[in-house]
């Protein structure tokens, strides 16, 4: 099992950051273009909420795959958790946390995942997936930051 933690400071209100992070269409716009990620089932547009599902289809590491997640915890505007219910991983849990600090929001992600395939999966987790997933989260969060900060300035 691998744990990846990221943190980014955004010059925008916590409520805006929380809402943008739950926006399905924005998710597909802020992930890597080469993955061709799109929502194909469940909540496919707008903001996802407690108990709701989304299925994404994307190409990662040259493999086309589907992943269905459900929002299993929801504490507006501080936290939400999505958990894989079907997909390529043995397990995956993604904790999104938001902390207001003056005029800024600290967005924290904790991604906990386990690859299938026993010992082979353990090797792939450590050699490839940990770094890949960290870059994926960092890049997506940078995109969210840019959007949130531009929207936050418009709201002033």
């Amino acid at each position: 099992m691998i744990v990846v933690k990221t943190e980014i400071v955004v010059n925008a209100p916590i409520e805006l950051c929380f809402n943008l992070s739950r926006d399905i269409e924005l998710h597909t716009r802020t992930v890597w273009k080469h993955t061709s990620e799109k929502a194909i089932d469940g909540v496919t547009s707008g903001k996802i909420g407690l108990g709701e599902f989304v299925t994404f289809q994307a190409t990662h590491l040259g493999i086309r795959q589907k992943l269905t997640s459900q929002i299993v915890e929801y504490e507006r505007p501080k936290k939400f958790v999505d958990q894989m219910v079907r997909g390529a991983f043995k397990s995956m849990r993604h904790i999104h946390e938001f902390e207001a600090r003056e005029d800024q929001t600290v967005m924290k992600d904790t991604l906990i995942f386990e690859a299938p395939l026993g010992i082979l999966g353990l090797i792939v987790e450590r050699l490839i997936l940990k770094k890949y997933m960290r870059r994926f989260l960092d890049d997506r969060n940078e995109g969210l930051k840019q959007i949130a900060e531009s929207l936050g300035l418009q709201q002033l």
Side-chain angles (χ1 to χ4, degrees):
M1 185 173 300
I2 297 291
V3 177
V4 175
K5 293 186 177 201
T6 66
E7 183 174 306
I8 191 166
V9 177
V10 181
N11 294 311
I14 189 171
E15 191 75 31
L16 177 62
C17 294
F18 183 82
N19 285 333
L20 292 176
S21 294
R22 297 182 304 112
D23 190 295
I24 299 299
E25 293 151 303
L26 187 59
H27 174 86
T28 58
R29 287 191 1 232
T30 56
V31 296
W32 295 329
K33 299 297 178 226
H34 70 272
T35 65
S36 301
E37 188 156 334
K38 60 184 176 182
I40 60 168
D41 197 16
V43 178
T44 59
S45 64
K47 294 169 186 64
I48 194 165
L50 183 62
E52 295 180 318
F53 293 84
V54 61
T55 299
F56 288 106
Q57 179 176 284
T59 302
H60 289 282
L61 301 169
I63 302 167
R64 188 169 185 93
Q65 53 195 282
K66 294 178 185 176
L67 185 135
T68 301
S69 291
Q70 180 181 26
I71 304 300
V72 296
E73 292 181 39
Y74 186 91
E75 184 185 336
R76 182 182 195 99
K78 295 181 180 182
K79 177 182 178 181
F80 71 94
V81 178
D82 61 270
Q83 189 162 304
M84 184 192 82
V85 293
R86 276 188 308 280
F89 289 92
K90 185 175 180 182
S91 66
M92 179 186 285
R93 184 174 176 86
H94 187 177
I95 304 163
H96 308 257
E97 296 175 289
F98 306 84
E99 179 185 333
R101 288 190 191 157
E102 297 178 12
D103 295 335
Q104 299 177 320
T105 301
V106 179
M107 294 193 326
K108 299 177 185 179
D109 285 284
T110 303
L111 182 66
I112 305 159
F113 65 90
E114 188 174 0
L117 306 177
I119 190 73
L120 179 60
L122 287 172
I123 293 167
V124 171
E125 282 176 359
R126 283 156 181 79
L127 294 180
I128 299 169
L129 288 176
K130 184 173 186 177
K131 182 178 179 183
Y132 182 86
M133 297 306 286
R134 178 179 305 284
R135 280 190 12 245
F136 184 82
L137 290 175
D138 284 342
D139 286 357
R140 178 171 187 273
N141 286 340
E142 186 58 42
L144 279 173
K145 173 184 171 85
Q146 291 174 8
I147 292 167
E149 289 179 349
S150 69
L151 290 173
L153 289 175
Q154 292 173 13
Q155 293 179 2
L156 295 177

